[in-house]
Amino acid sequence: MTPADAPPPTYTPMISTLLTLADWRAAYAAGAEPTDLLAPLLARLHGEAAAADPAWIHRCAPDVIAAQLAQLAGRDRATLPLYGVPFAVKDNIDVAGLPTTAACPAFAHVAAHSATVVQRLMAAGAVLVGKTNLDQFATGLVGTRSPYGEVPNSFDSQYVSGGSSSGSASVVARGWVAFALGTDTAGSGRVPAGLNNLVGLKPTPGRVPMAGVLPACRTLDVVSVLALTVADAAQVMAVIEGAEDEPGFQSWPLQPAWLGRTGAALRVGVPVVPGCDPALGYDQAFDEAVAQLCAWGLVPQPIDMTPFFEVARLLYDGPWVAERYAVVQALFDHQPEALDATVRRVIARAGEFDAASAFRARYALEDLRRQLAPLWQQIDVLMVPTTPTCPTRAAVAAEPVLRNSELGRFTNFVNLLGQAALALPSGVSASGLPFGVTFIAPGGSDAALVDLGLRWEAARAQPLGCRLRPATPADRAMQAGPAAAATLALAVVGAHLAGMPLHGQLVERGCRLRERTRTAPHYRLYALPGTQPPKPGLARVVDVAMDGAVGGAVDGEVVPGCAIEVEVYDMPQAALGSFLALIPPPLGLGSVQLADGSWVKGFICEGAGLACATDVSAFGGWRAYRAA
């Protein structure tokens, strides 16, 4: 019986009204107990329908669930961001006392310890309910390469779910769990997210601990998060992130929590030739996604993707397949029939490469990375179709490698380049299948992508998962998210204001405008003599009472304080040293009080520099003075 002839599995479209983290938080805040809320889920999980559901490989027994709930008893719920929330993990992620199969029964073994990511989720209060199906050894983007069954697309069972994190995507899209973990080497978390109307958060390689996760390509793998909303994926990421010296990973410094340049529109690159499948309506769906950017007032920048595709070819046409062989070498050499035929065919290519090939490929990758570096001076983020097509299960059975490679067109290069990515629902195509886009940014930009994803999600307003229900503002409310580069609030008062000669120094350092405001009414502003470009000096006056006004003494004369116009920027702390080096005397950085009473760092002036300066406080700010 071919996959096309096989009867579709019986799927439960929704098991509960509790879908997102917001739903679960609200229920527990109202006084509900985990045992009561999880009871319907557990009953369905061990029912006849779930037993025939190919999305699951292992469903946790009642005693396993009970043991987890016992660990929650008596704990302060306020300290547990995932209290009592059900989740699932891909079955290449270890859970203590449960089998790990990687969708290969001959490889199965009971894990002695839980993966670090699982430990962190449980410590945050989450309740594991099962382990999910995958393309065997995480080798595939289709979701069909498993002896435990093919996982169909949650919208239409004739089509593939995408993989390799097929089961994790399926159980989230159908409302079994609030979120699930997958893994992503070449798109294994993003592709099934795109094909099932989910958010797929793929962290920067090295950002999430991989201990206890069976690798596909150890130097490229990363645990990914599949969720119904950006806020939920971000919360899970906040819990699991924080890797410690992951072997084989290049270190990618954290970036600020925003993309783009201050005072300028976001620069979004889009493929010159997206190549989306017109038979599915994916071409029109991507056009609609680009139109969304235009509706924001942005001008998408067409990008030649050829260098990215050259990077992608290294993954399966280069020596990285040898990493897959290293994981399963004993099984491959002594029991090859235990492997899925297509998986075996892919891994067998490892024999084509020697040590010299590995070095040559590494050099080629670095050359391509250098070629692509200037691109990131022209754009802030790349938006691509998550997948340009969605094949039927029958089409994959006929040409498994070709159909698989089509799905990875815009995903295979990302981890090789150390980039962060966020797959997002964008709409349902004319074929009735969901269509998604993925935003890609340099490594360390995870928090910034979440920020952009929240905006995208609100604009596109897609139903949750597989037609579960419309999203609400509560679903999209952020509670926590990935870490970002540390920043410093900096008040500028003169030549660094927007439109002024030195504003470019802030732009070069990736600063973001926080607010335009005024200082507290305790300051005077002076035009400093002989400075190029012209600069002011800001001085705080000593507080004294003057007929109800605030004032101070300058050269023995009592003068009133003023509120002076300032702009406050968030500056990455890593850029602060280079900025300080540009500040000439008598200016410096100190503390400045704002109109709301808060204190930030900002430009101040030495008293000696004011001796021959002109008091321009009456203008209320440097911009008004210069205009006059």
Side-chain angles (χ1 to χ4, degrees), residues 404-550:
N404 189 93
S405 64
E406 291 170 346
L407 290 176
R409 178 176 176 82
F410 294 108
T411 60
N412 286 353
F413 58 82
V414 176
N415 280 4
L416 280 164
L417 294 172
Q419 296 166 332
L422 181 64
L424 298 164
S426 186
V428 175
S429 69
S431 62
L433 294 172
F435 176 80
V437 297
T438 294
F439 287 99
I440 301 167
S445 300
D446 309 75
L449 287 177
V450 165
D451 184 66
L452 177 59
L454 289 168
R455 185 181 177 192
W456 180 267
E457 185 177 60
R460 302 304 291 165
Q462 296 302 304
L464 299 176
C466 184
R467 310 180 187 94
L468 297 177
R469 65 165 170 79
T472 68
D475 296 324
R476 293 193 289 264
M478 278 281 289
Q479 300 293 315
T487 61
L488 181 78
L490 176 70
V492 299
V493 69
H496 289 90
L497 294 168
M500 294 292 174
L502 298 183
H503 183 70
Q505 294 179 0
L506 301 181
V507 175
E508 291 167 359
R509 283 157 184 78
C511 298
R512 177 178 63 174
L513 177 65
R514 176 186 289 190
E515 63 174 329
R516 291 184 172 90
T517 184
R518 291 185 174 272
T519 65
H522 310 323
Y523 291 88
R524 305 295 296 181
L525 190 68
Y526 298 85
L528 301 176
T531 57
Q532 288 299 326
K535 302 178 187 69
L538 184 70
R540 182 177 173 85
V541 295
V542 179
D543 292 345
V544 296
M546 280 182 43
D547 297 325
V550 176

Side-chain angles (χ1 to χ4, degrees), residues 46-417:
H46 292 283
E48 185 176 340
D53 189 335
W56 297 104
I57 287 181
H58 183 89
R59 293 161 293 139
C60 289
D63 63 317
V64 173
I65 304 291
Q68 295 179 69
L69 296 182
Q71 293 295 316
L72 296 180
R75 297 183 63 185
D76 182 0
R77 300 183 182 187
T79 65
L80 304 176
L82 299 176
Y83 179 85
V85 177
F87 76 105
V89 300
K90 187 176 180 178
D91 196 22
N92 60 347
I93 300 174
D94 285 346
V95 178
L98 300 183
T100 298
T101 70
C104 181
F107 183 82
H109 60 279
V110 175
H113 305 282
S114 292
T116 304
V117 288
V118 174
Q119 294 177 30
R120 290 179 179 178
L121 290 171
M122 289 182 170
V127 179
L128 181 78
V129 299
K131 303 187 74 177
T132 56
N133 204 352
L134 64 152
D135 284 309
Q136 192 177 75
F137 293 113
T139 301
L141 295 174
V142 287
T144 64
R145 302 172 180 175
S146 171
Y148 295 97
E150 298 181 359
V151 180
N153 188 284
S154 59
F155 279 68
D156 188 333
S157 62
Q158 296 182 76
Y159 291 86
V160 299
S161 62
S164 61
S165 306
S166 53
S168 288
S170 181
V171 297
V172 175
R174 293 182 288 128
W176 282 93
V177 291
F179 68 90
L181 298 185
T183 59
D184 193 309
T185 306
S188 289
R190 289 160 282 159
V191 169
L195 295 182
N196 290 277
N197 201 47
L198 297 176
V199 172
L201 192 161
K202 188 214 73 67
T204 301
R207 281 290 297 274
V208 173
M210 299 301 290
V213 180
L214 183 73
C217 293
R218 186 174 181 180
T219 59
L220 301 177
D221 296 343
V222 63
V223 169
S224 61
V225 182
L226 294 140
L228 294 168
T229 69
V230 173
D232 286 4
Q235 173 69 82
V236 174
M237 173 73 173
V239 169
I240 67 174
E241 74 175 341
E244 298 178 358
D245 300 323
E246 290 297 322
F249 284 110
Q250 182 173 338
S251 176
W252 305 100
L254 290 177
Q255 300 298 315
W258 62 86
L259 294 166
R261 305 160 299 157
T262 185
L266 191 68
R267 301 169 300 174
V268 183
V270 297
V272 171
V273 183
C276 291
D277 191 342
L280 296 179
Y282 274 18
D283 55 343
Q284 180 181 351
F286 189 65
D287 288 345
E288 291 174 359
V290 173
Q292 178 64 65
L293 299 177
C294 298
W296 284 346
L298 307 180
V299 180
Q301 300 188 22
I303 299 298
D304 178 6
M305 297 293 294
T306 300
F308 289 102
F309 296 153
E310 291 179 9
V311 171
R313 277 193 286 273
L314 293 172
L315 188 61
Y316 285 106
D317 293 338
W320 275 271
V321 294
E323 281 200 287
R324 296 180 185 272
Y325 172 70
V327 174
V328 298
Q329 182 174 356
L331 190 66
F332 187 94
D333 291 346
H334 302 293
Q335 199 177 345
E337 70 281 358
L339 276 71
D340 173 88
T342 304
V343 172
R344 185 169 65 244
R345 175 181 168 188
V346 171
I347 295 177
R349 295 205 60 199
E352 301 174 16
F353 304 99
D354 57 13
S357 300
F359 281 106
R360 282 193 293 267
R362 190 69 195 182
Y363 304 151
L365 175 59
E366 293 309 314
D367 284 343
L368 289 165
R369 195 193 307 277
R370 283 190 290 271
Q371 289 180 38
L372 286 165
L375 173 66
W376 294 103
Q377 302 304 313
Q378 303 166 28
I379 65 172
D380 304 307
V381 66
L382 187 63
M383 186 184 83
V384 299
T386 300
T387 64
T389 188
C390 181
T392 63
R393 294 158 62 201
V396 170
E399 294 185 276
V401 175
L402 177 59
R403 298 284 85 85
N404 189 93
S405 64
E406 291 170 346
L407 290 176
R409 178 176 176 82
F410 294 108
T411 60
N412 286 353
F413 58 82
V414 176
N415 280 4
L416 280 164
L417 294 172

